[in-house]
Short mmCIF file of all heavy atoms in Angstrom, two decimals:
data_model
loop_
_atom_site.label_atom_id
_atom_site.label_comp_id
_atom_site.label_asym_id
_atom_site.label_seq_id
_atom_site.Cartn_x
_atom_site.Cartn_y
_atom_site.Cartn_z
N SER G 1 50.26 99.25 147.88
CA SER G 1 49.45 100.43 148.18
C SER G 1 47.97 100.13 147.98
O SER G 1 47.61 99.04 147.53
CB SER G 1 49.90 101.61 147.33
OG SER G 1 51.18 102.03 147.65
N ARG G 2 47.14 101.09 148.32
CA ARG G 2 45.68 100.91 148.26
C ARG G 2 45.19 100.47 146.88
O ARG G 2 45.67 100.93 145.86
CB ARG G 2 44.99 102.21 148.61
CG ARG G 2 44.98 102.56 150.09
CD ARG G 2 44.17 103.80 150.35
NE ARG G 2 44.83 104.96 149.80
CZ ARG G 2 45.65 105.76 150.47
NH1 ARG G 2 45.94 105.53 151.72
NH2 ARG G 2 46.21 106.80 149.88
N GLY G 3 44.26 99.55 146.92
CA GLY G 3 43.56 99.16 145.71
C GLY G 3 44.32 98.23 144.76
O GLY G 3 43.87 97.99 143.62
N ALA G 4 45.45 97.65 145.22
CA ALA G 4 46.17 96.74 144.35
C ALA G 4 45.45 95.41 144.23
O ALA G 4 44.87 94.90 145.21
CB ALA G 4 47.58 96.50 144.90
N ILE G 5 45.40 94.87 143.01
CA ILE G 5 44.76 93.57 142.76
C ILE G 5 45.84 92.58 142.33
O ILE G 5 46.52 92.81 141.33
CB ILE G 5 43.67 93.66 141.69
CG1 ILE G 5 42.57 94.64 142.16
CG2 ILE G 5 43.09 92.29 141.40
CD1 ILE G 5 41.52 94.90 141.10
N ILE G 6 46.01 91.51 143.11
CA ILE G 6 47.04 90.52 142.83
C ILE G 6 46.32 89.18 142.55
O ILE G 6 45.78 88.52 143.45
CB ILE G 6 47.97 90.32 144.03
CG1 ILE G 6 48.48 91.67 144.57
CG2 ILE G 6 49.14 89.41 143.68
CD1 ILE G 6 49.24 92.52 143.54
N GLU G 7 46.25 88.79 141.25
CA GLU G 7 45.48 87.63 140.88
C GLU G 7 46.16 86.31 141.23
O GLU G 7 47.31 86.28 141.67
CB GLU G 7 45.17 87.68 139.39
CG GLU G 7 44.21 88.77 139.00
CD GLU G 7 43.71 88.67 137.56
OE1 GLU G 7 44.13 87.72 136.88
OE2 GLU G 7 42.92 89.53 137.16
N LYS G 8 45.47 85.22 140.99
CA LYS G 8 45.94 83.88 141.32
C LYS G 8 47.20 83.54 140.51
O LYS G 8 47.36 83.98 139.36
CB LYS G 8 44.84 82.86 140.97
CG LYS G 8 45.14 81.45 141.44
CD LYS G 8 43.93 80.56 141.16
CE LYS G 8 44.21 79.13 141.66
NZ LYS G 8 43.04 78.22 141.35
N ASP G 9 48.12 82.82 141.13
CA ASP G 9 49.39 82.35 140.52
C ASP G 9 50.37 83.48 140.27
O ASP G 9 51.37 83.28 139.59
CB ASP G 9 49.11 81.58 139.23
CG ASP G 9 48.32 80.29 139.47
OD1 ASP G 9 48.53 79.68 140.55
OD2 ASP G 9 47.47 79.92 138.61
N VAL G 10 50.06 84.69 140.72
CA VAL G 10 51.07 85.78 140.69
C VAL G 10 52.12 85.55 141.77
O VAL G 10 51.77 85.10 142.85
CB VAL G 10 50.38 87.15 140.87
CG1 VAL G 10 51.39 88.24 141.13
CG2 VAL G 10 49.52 87.46 139.66
N VAL G 11 53.37 85.86 141.46
CA VAL G 11 54.42 85.81 142.46
C VAL G 11 55.12 87.19 142.47
O VAL G 11 55.69 87.61 141.44
CB VAL G 11 55.48 84.72 142.16
CG1 VAL G 11 56.61 84.78 143.18
CG2 VAL G 11 54.80 83.37 142.16
N LEU G 12 55.05 87.87 143.59
CA LEU G 12 55.73 89.15 143.76
C LEU G 12 56.86 88.96 144.83
O LEU G 12 56.56 88.50 145.93
CB LEU G 12 54.80 90.24 144.25
CG LEU G 12 53.60 90.56 143.41
CD1 LEU G 12 52.78 91.70 144.09
CD2 LEU G 12 54.03 91.05 142.00
N GLU G 13 58.09 89.30 144.45
CA GLU G 13 59.22 89.19 145.43
C GLU G 13 59.97 90.52 145.39
O GLU G 13 60.38 90.98 144.34
CB GLU G 13 60.17 88.07 145.02
CG GLU G 13 59.55 86.68 145.07
CD GLU G 13 60.53 85.62 144.68
OE1 GLU G 13 61.33 85.18 145.56
OE2 GLU G 13 60.58 85.24 143.48
N GLU G 14 60.10 91.16 146.59
CA GLU G 14 60.80 92.43 146.72
C GLU G 14 60.25 93.44 145.69
O GLU G 14 61.01 93.97 144.84
CB GLU G 14 62.31 92.26 146.53
CG GLU G 14 63.02 91.57 147.69
CD GLU G 14 62.93 90.06 147.61
OE1 GLU G 14 63.11 89.51 146.48
OE2 GLU G 14 62.66 89.41 148.64
N CYS G 15 58.99 93.72 145.77
CA CYS G 15 58.37 94.63 144.82
C CYS G 15 57.66 95.77 145.62
O CYS G 15 57.26 95.62 146.77
CB CYS G 15 57.33 93.93 143.96
SG CYS G 15 58.08 92.83 142.72
N VAL G 16 57.53 96.92 144.93
CA VAL G 16 56.74 98.03 145.45
C VAL G 16 55.61 98.27 144.43
O VAL G 16 55.88 98.69 143.31
CB VAL G 16 57.56 99.30 145.62
CG1 VAL G 16 56.71 100.44 146.14
CG2 VAL G 16 58.73 99.04 146.57
N ILE G 17 54.37 97.96 144.85
CA ILE G 17 53.22 98.12 143.97
C ILE G 17 52.39 99.34 144.46
O ILE G 17 51.87 99.29 145.56
CB ILE G 17 52.37 96.86 143.96
CG1 ILE G 17 53.23 95.59 143.74
CG2 ILE G 17 51.25 96.95 142.93
CD1 ILE G 17 53.95 95.56 142.40
N LEU G 18 52.27 100.35 143.63
CA LEU G 18 51.58 101.53 144.05
C LEU G 18 50.08 101.45 143.76
O LEU G 18 49.61 100.44 143.26
CB LEU G 18 52.26 102.77 143.43
CG LEU G 18 53.69 103.03 143.82
CD1 LEU G 18 54.19 104.35 143.27
CD2 LEU G 18 53.90 102.94 145.31
N GLN G 19 49.37 102.50 144.04
CA GLN G 19 47.92 102.52 144.10
C GLN G 19 47.27 102.05 142.82
O GLN G 19 47.65 102.44 141.68
CB GLN G 19 47.44 103.92 144.45
CG GLN G 19 45.94 104.03 144.77
CD GLN G 19 45.62 105.41 145.20
OE1 GLN G 19 46.41 106.13 145.76
NE2 GLN G 19 44.34 105.81 145.00
N ASP G 20 46.18 101.24 142.95
CA ASP G 20 45.30 100.84 141.91
C ASP G 20 46.01 100.09 140.74
O ASP G 20 45.63 100.23 139.58
CB ASP G 20 44.54 102.04 141.33
CG ASP G 20 43.56 102.63 142.33
OD1 ASP G 20 43.05 101.84 143.16
OD2 ASP G 20 43.36 103.85 142.31
N CYS G 21 47.03 99.33 141.06
CA CYS G 21 47.66 98.47 140.05
C CYS G 21 46.99 97.10 140.02
O CYS G 21 46.54 96.62 141.07
CB CYS G 21 49.15 98.34 140.33
SG CYS G 21 50.10 99.83 140.00
N HIS G 22 47.02 96.53 138.87
CA HIS G 22 46.38 95.20 138.67
C HIS G 22 47.45 94.25 138.08
O HIS G 22 47.87 94.43 136.96
CB HIS G 22 45.19 95.35 137.69
CG HIS G 22 44.33 94.12 137.63
ND1 HIS G 22 43.05 94.16 137.11
CD2 HIS G 22 44.54 92.82 137.96
CE1 HIS G 22 42.51 92.96 137.18
NE2 HIS G 22 43.46 92.11 137.67
N ILE G 23 47.81 93.26 138.87
CA ILE G 23 48.79 92.25 138.47
C ILE G 23 48.02 90.99 138.12
O ILE G 23 47.44 90.33 138.99
CB ILE G 23 49.83 91.97 139.56
CG1 ILE G 23 50.29 93.26 140.23
CG2 ILE G 23 51.00 91.17 138.97
CD1 ILE G 23 50.98 94.23 139.32
N LYS G 24 48.02 90.64 136.83
CA LYS G 24 47.13 89.58 136.33
C LYS G 24 47.74 88.20 136.49
O LYS G 24 48.95 88.06 136.73
CB LYS G 24 46.73 89.86 134.90
CG LYS G 24 45.84 91.08 134.74
CD LYS G 24 45.14 91.13 133.42
CE LYS G 24 44.04 92.20 133.41
NZ LYS G 24 43.27 92.19 132.15
N LYS G 25 46.92 87.20 136.33
CA LYS G 25 47.22 85.80 136.59
C LYS G 25 48.56 85.35 136.01
O LYS G 25 48.86 85.59 134.83
CB LYS G 25 46.09 84.94 136.01
CG LYS G 25 46.22 83.45 136.33
CD LYS G 25 45.06 82.67 135.80
CE LYS G 25 45.20 81.19 136.07
NZ LYS G 25 44.05 80.39 135.55
N GLY G 26 49.34 84.70 136.86
CA GLY G 26 50.57 84.07 136.40
C GLY G 26 51.81 84.98 136.23
O GLY G 26 52.86 84.48 135.89
#
């Protein structure tokens, strides 16, 4: 969703990420 931040070395598989979430490195 809008405003999601996915940092370097993050791996997302079959995920639902809603607004303004921050997934940090690794």
